């Protein structure tokens, strides 16, 4: 067949070539997956890109959350070793170390089979596209990390999220877990009126909204820190940054900073010490 006489076919082949070029340019090679630990998923372009400068956060620097740290580390350790493990949901007060704890896994499990993929909430509907890639690397263990995961009352994306985690008719790869951080315990906004509506069974509405969190076998709540824990974190950060200050003055300034910030947590402590270092 003389393809020069069939422009429609030529056009189709051209589009296929461009698609393959895009695919090869935006999907990591075997070497990339082996040599990189962290990746970012772009649902719009269906592309997976390696993160060349991943966060290096030592878990020992996260204070006041020892029990939670032990649970998450133990679950991840079992997963990396090839054993069964649970999806993890960390919820609670802002700035208390939820996201930092997940990010610290890159440091704690550096040099192991652990690979982490960061996914934004608006890209969740396309996550299933990754399953074939993940399943093709059974010797590696993948965690999909979703930060600041929550849904407003008028959003129905959380229903798709259930299918993403459960897989629907598709088997979720054995070497994949989901770790998420959220300010909300049940992820979906609920209100008292949900239990007092015109529906025959108003409780079904509430059950449907809270059922997303049930997909996470480990659910850990993070709460306000005591002042002593906050000051302990300040002391640790000042030592790490080589800052010397009278302890009494340091405590006074740290407490004043937290009152002005309206919060008392690890993030506030870090911002305070950063102001001193500056």
């Amino acid at each position: 067949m003389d393809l020069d006489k069939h422009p429609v076919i030529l056009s189709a082949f051209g589009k296929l070539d461009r698609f393959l070029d895009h695919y090869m340019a935006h999907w990591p090679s075997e070497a990339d997956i082996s040599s990189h630990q962290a990746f970012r998923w772009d649902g719009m372009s269906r592309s997976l890109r390696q993160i060349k400068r991943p966060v290096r956060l030592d878990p020992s620097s996260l204070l006041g959350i020892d029990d939670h740290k032990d649970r998450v580390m133990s679950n991840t350790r079992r997963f990396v070793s090839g054993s069964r493990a649970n999806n993890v949901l960390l919820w609670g007060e802002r700035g208390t170390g939820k996201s930092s704890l997940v990010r610290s896994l890159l440091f704690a499990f550096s040099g192991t089979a652990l690979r982490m993929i960061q996914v934004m909430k608006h890209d969740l509907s396309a996550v299933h596209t990754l399953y074939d890639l993940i399943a093709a690397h059974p010797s590696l263990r993948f965690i999909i990390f979703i930060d600041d995961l929550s849904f407003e009352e008028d959003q129905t994306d959380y229903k798709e999220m259930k299918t993403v985690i459960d897989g629907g008719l598709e088997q979720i790869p054995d070497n994949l877990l989901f770790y998420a951080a959220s300010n909300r315990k049940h992820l979906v906004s609920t209100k008292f009126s949900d239990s007092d509506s015109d529906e025959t069974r108003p409780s079904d509405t509430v059950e449907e909204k809270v059922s997303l969190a049930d997909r996470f076998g480990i659910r850990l709540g993070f709460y306000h820190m005591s002042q002593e824990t906050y000051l302990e974190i300040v002391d640790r950060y000042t030592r790490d940054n080589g800052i010397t200050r009278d302890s009494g003055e340091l405590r006074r300034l740290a407490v004043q900073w937290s009152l002005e910030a309206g919060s008392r947590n690890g993030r506030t402590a870090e911002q305070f010490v950063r102001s001193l270092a500056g």
Side-chain angles (χ1 to χ4, degrees):
M1 179 185 295
D2 187 355
L3 293 180
D4 292 336
K5 298 180 179 180
H6 296 274
V8 175
I9 297 178
L10 281 174
S11 176
F13 273 114
K15 291 179 180 179
L16 178 59
D17 285 340
R18 287 193 296 272
F19 172 79
L20 292 175
D21 289 342
H22 174 85
Y23 180 88
M24 294 303 294
H26 292 85
W27 282 85
S29 64
E30 295 290 332
D32 289 332
I33 293 177
S34 298
S35 60
H36 288 81
Q37 192 180 19
F39 301 86
R40 182 183 298 107
W41 171 242
D42 185 336
M44 181 68 69
S45 62
R46 300 295 201 273
S47 61
L48 186 66
R49 301 173 183 270
Q50 65 265 28
I51 296 176
K52 298 179 180 179
R53 297 175 300 279
V55 171
R56 294 300 176 193
L57 178 61
D58 190 338
S60 65
S61 66
L62 302 177
L63 306 180
I65 55 171
D66 290 343
D67 291 341
H68 293 15
K69 193 190 311 182
D70 290 343
R71 290 282 303 278
V72 173
M73 290 295 170
S74 177
N75 186 72
T76 308
R77 194 175 298 112
R78 290 196 307 272
F79 178 58
V80 172
S81 68
S83 300
R84 300 285 291 175
N86 278 300
N87 296 322
V88 175
L89 171 62
L90 307 178
W91 63 272
E93 301 294 337
R94 68 189 190 279
T96 49
K98 302 183 297 296
S99 301
S100 295
L101 179 53
V102 177
R103 292 197 296 265
S104 73
L105 297 177
L106 291 172
F107 181 94
F109 293 91
S110 177
T112 71
L114 180 66
R115 300 293 182 270
M116 296 187 68
I117 302 173
Q118 182 172 1
V119 177
M120 305 301 289
K121 186 180 74 173
H122 58 263
D123 289 328
L124 284 172
S125 60
V127 162
H128 65 277
T129 312
L130 283 170
Y131 293 169
D132 287 342
L133 174 69
I134 291 173
H137 295 82
S139 63
L140 299 178
R141 316 297 284 178
F142 291 84
I143 288 177
I144 287 180
F145 173 44
I146 312 152
D147 199 8
D148 196 22
L149 179 62
S150 64
F151 300 91
E152 300 302 327
E153 180 190 1
D154 58 345
Q155 292 180 302
T156 59
D157 299 8
Y158 69 91
K159 298 179 181 179
E160 296 181 12
M161 179 66 182
K162 295 179 188 178
T163 304
V164 166
I165 296 180
D166 286 341
L169 293 178
E170 182 178 8
Q171 176 67 40
I172 296 291
D174 293 333
N175 58 333
L176 169 63
L177 285 181
F178 290 86
Y179 281 26
S182 176
N183 292 334
R184 289 179 175 160
K185 181 177 182 179
H186 298 303
L187 299 178
V188 185
S189 175
T190 57
K191 56 185 182 180
F192 288 114
S193 60
D194 288 337
S195 301
D196 185 22
S197 66
D198 293 333
E199 296 183 17
T200 304
R201 289 177 54 86
S203 60
D204 289 348
T205 299
V206 178
E207 287 297 319
E208 181 181 40
K209 288 186 174 183
V210 302
S211 63
L212 174 56
D214 292 342
R215 268 64 178 180
F216 296 86
I218 296 178
R219 301 183 291 275
L220 303 174
F222 288 64
Y223 304 97
H224 283 297
M225 292 181 175
S226 67
Q227 180 164 294
E228 283 307 309
T229 300
Y230 165 71
L231 292 174
E232 182 183 352
I233 295 174
V234 168
D235 184 60
R236 168 65 183 267
Y237 286 168
T238 52
R239 291 200 312 270
D240 289 348
N241 286 273
I243 298 174
T244 56
R245 204 77 174 247
D246 176 75
S247 59
E249 181 189 14
L250 184 67
R251 291 172 65 93
R252 180 183 63 79
L253 292 174
V255 171
Q256 180 180 344
W257 181 277
S258 68
L259 292 174
E260 292 174 352
S263 61
R264 191 171 57 207
N265 52 50
R267 182 183 298 157
T268 304
E270 181 182 15
Q271 292 168 345
F272 167 66
V273 174
R274 192 180 299 162
S275 73
L276 293 180

